[in-house]
Amino acid sequence: MERRVAERLRLAQADSGEEPWRAWGPYLAERAWGTVREDYSEHGTAWDYFPHDHARSRAYRWNDDGMGGICDERQTFCFALALWNGEDPILKERMFGLGGDGGNHGEDAKEYWWYQDSTPTHSWMRWRYHYPQKAFPYDELVHVNGQRSREESEYELIDTGAFDEDRYWAVTVDYAKASPHDMCIAITVSNRGPSPASLHVLPTLWFRNTWSWGLPNRPKPALVGRPGRLSGLHRTVGHIVLEGELSPSALVCDNETNSQRLWGLPGTSMYPKDGINDHLIAGLPTVNPAGVGTKGALHYLLTLAPGESRTLRLRLAADDHEPGALDLGAGWESVMGSRSSEADAYFAEIIPAAATPEEAAVARQGIAGLMWGKQFYHFDVKQWLTGDPGSSPPPPGRRYGRNNAWWHMNSFDVISMPDAWEYPWYAAWDLAFHCVSISRVDPAFAKQQLILLLREWYMHPNGQIPAYEWAFGDVNPPVHAWAALRVFEIDGGRDFDFLARVMHKLLLNFTWWVNRKDVGGNNVFEGGFLGLDNVGPFDRSAALPVAGVLEQSDGTGWMAMYALNLLDIAIRLALHDRTYEDMATKFFEHFAYIAEAAYRQGLWDEEDCFFYDQLRLPDGHKLPLKARSIVGLLPLAATTRLTAATLNRLPELSARLRWLRHTQGEYADVISARRLSAEGRQQRLLSMVGQDQLLRILARMLDPEEFLSAYGIRTLSRSHLEKPFTVSLGGSDFTVGYEPAESTSGLFGGNSNWRGPVWMPVNYLLIEALREYADFFGDDLIAEYPTGSQRKIPLAAIADDLSQRLISLFVPNADGHRPIYGANEILQKHPDWKDLIVFPEYFHGDNGAGLGAWHQTGWTALVVDLILTLRR
């Protein structure tokens, strides 16, 4: 198979159903403890109910976790890496971190690992981890972070001195598929320290526990261990075999809860889930001497000189192979070499030649993170609410608690997660952004993901799209239609069946928004926090401090954008099937109503040239909340163009547009006059802002003293650093001030701060909007950039420069430093660390340092699309 087409051929075979190349992948979460689905507590305290200390001893109910691991798409079996440096009190089987109460800024992993590579079929993957050689400072991390306030920085593993003198192991795991169900594995261990050191390496294979919950037709599988070999039999996956070179010993136990350790109760197995841990570290007889169970590890003990590396060869395959039948010699080498070369060839086609080597590395590692972020996610909410037959009934309060209205939801899918550790559960608006960059390499998977959350077992019967497992009923911004359009276009603009499937379900969701989030029926919208956590002076997801309704500029802007997205989808479908033309006219008019209402109802402040949220009080008075934030910039994203060619082919839409312009004068401002495009074609602009408002908003957005930073658009104006916005309501003062890094406010919870940092998704939308305006106005409309510079340039050039600012977060600057790593010397300068790239959740509004979830490759991987667009 020619290297440059090999991966594309595998994708085609997977899409057609010819070969199941996606069946095995990195679908094993980095964290399953501390999640809602594992929480059976009375008051929903997930981090306390299933803490890290329980994870090694307690069988998970819904899905498993591990380090650098893989599993099949139903997570029947799991394979992952375990390590022990001879000093730790426990095996290193999973990543450690702290929850919101212990991490002082929210959930935070206290380890260092990287997703370095992955093709979309997972035919080639690479994962990297740095493991200290001295005892892992679990207690120190808990204690010091627990003592720190929100005003202090988080205490990280690197701050403990764990990596002083380079006393750590650099561990890399490479995977290469010989076939869809035959995986060659290389575990490379390097002693970076100045002294000889020993490391226990335990590649581990186990079956996810599906048999302990009293459900029918769940027989217990079996795993048998012999020197150099683990072989298993499961009624779903059939036979599976793991073989390793050098005949390591096999340690076998059961993936069953150690009830004795956790609660002092008799367990179901003498060799429970933590049996390998207890045997290796404490010498206890907790592995089955007969070598039979449901969890097993091949045990290697390596002693390496300073700077020495050793690679272990393994192979994991389906079917029942005779011992030694799996080739770990020349055949193994051929597969590893071929898949690596094929991956290079594939990405050379994806990433433009004009991209710099540093940009190409960012793009490739960003894609790797997206691929490794695909996780098996299982959650039957009705079963979770009522309890399993073989377990104690959950507390009665669960029937009235978290997610009780989402009893219909039954997830059993591989889903793109925001982050494999901090956010190991899907989030609806995150996923929409993920799909844009995913479609650059695997459009079929991106489309499947967008459709998935609209299916009957996800979308609520009332039409709401689920937000995330902490509160499925929370309201995320309606970006699904926008993402579907982008994926459709990136994929070549031919899959009209996909657009139609999305359209039909989004009609239900749009109606839910109109019925539920426009209380006054006046075409301005509420919505709550809308994913922007603490952007306002008070918690927008909670009850208001006074009676009234919070009318939101972002909610209204999102809905205007939603209407235009559905208009664009309807137009594309109507050009092939005229029955969709009625939908096009419907969403055209609905957009006009929303855009006009934003002005008539007072969201636009003419004096300040900005959109603000406002409180509509019971007596009819309106109180604007004049905090200049991303809330007031998002209406810019509600824009699209209609060409004369389109209107000529859709006469009813054309007639409705003329009628609205000529007989309903209040709507004329949202429909621009005709202009010629660069190609000489007539077109109209539909937008929440006209040319005058656009330039006046941009004057604020592009002002370095307000929104424009060296690394993109801030989420709150820097003017609020010296002049915080304060409003008095119900006898209390509520304040919003510019905070460029972690928030000192615990207003909403979590580790998300929208009071100043740079966030990739909203920056991406604003750049997209600027390109849309540029396509309409061409070089005839120029804006001062930056504001105050006396330099005016076209909008397309501004969009390019904003893209470059965001890309510059990840690439070394003139000093060789990546802004995302801030002042961290080891990450900036150490040759073993500096080229390992993470994609943080958000970025310091002044210096670009990465903040929040450290491996948030999800929507931050939009930088991949920016690179591919800018360098195309």
Side-chain angles (χ1 to χ4, degrees), residues 359 710-712 801-813 817-820 848 863 867:
E359 290 171 345
Y711 303 103
D801 188 75
L802 288 174
S803 297
Q804 188 59 61
R805 290 179 186 229
L806 292 163
I807 294 167
S808 73
L809 286 160
F810 302 90
V811 299
N813 57 24
H817 289 188
R818 300 182 195 271
I820 56 171
V863 70
I867 291 170

Side-chain angles (χ1 to χ4, degrees), residues 738-744 753-757 842-846 851:
Y738 175 73
E739 295 183 275
E742 292 97 342
S743 176
T744 57
N753 178 23
W754 291 79
R755 296 185 172 191
Y842 55 98
F843 309 90
H844 194 290
D846 294 334
L851 302 166

Side-chain angles (χ1 to χ4, degrees), residues 264-449:
L265 299 173
T268 58
S269 173
M270 297 172 58
Y271 315 107
K273 181 179 177 180
D274 52 13
I276 297 171
N277 175 95
D278 293 352
H279 175 76
L280 190 62
I281 292 174
L284 298 177
T286 50
V287 295
N288 191 340
V292 178
T294 50
K295 174 184 176 182
L298 300 181
H299 179 210
Y300 293 91
L301 176 58
L302 305 180
T303 300
L304 303 184
E308 185 181 1
S309 297
R310 184 83 56 82
T311 296
L312 301 174
R313 299 183 179 193
L314 300 104
R315 197 155 183 167
L316 179 68
D319 297 327
D320 189 18
H321 296 268
E322 292 295 321
L326 292 175
D327 188 346
L328 293 172
W332 183 95
E333 290 178 356
S334 176
V335 172
M336 297 296 290
S338 295
R339 297 301 174 264
S340 177
S341 297
E342 289 161 5
D344 290 342
Y346 174 74
F347 285 112
E349 286 190 337
I350 297 293
I351 302 171
T356 68
E358 289 290 355
E359 290 171 345
V362 170
R364 187 157 174 178
Q365 290 186 52
I367 292 168
L370 284 170
M371 298 298 101
W372 279 88
K374 293 157 64 173
Q375 310 281 282
F376 171 78
Y377 184 86
H378 184 201
F379 192 15
D380 181 338
V381 176
K382 183 178 180 180
Q383 188 75 57
W384 178 76
L385 289 168
T386 58
D388 293 312
S391 304
S392 300
R398 287 169 73 85
R399 287 176 288 176
Y400 312 101
R402 175 175 289 138
N403 294 328
N404 69 85
W406 291 79
W407 51 267
H408 73 286
M409 181 177 290
N410 192 340
S411 306
F412 193 84
D413 298 283
V414 171
I415 306 179
S416 178
M417 302 295 172
D419 184 281
W421 196 95
E422 275 91 348
Y423 302 120
W425 27 261
Y426 70 86
W429 80 306
D430 297 59
L431 182 139
F433 290 112
H434 304 176
C435 289
V436 172
S437 288
I438 289 173
S439 65
R440 293 288 192 168
V441 294
D442 193 351
F445 181 75
K447 288 183 282 189
Q448 180 268 341
Q449 291 288 283

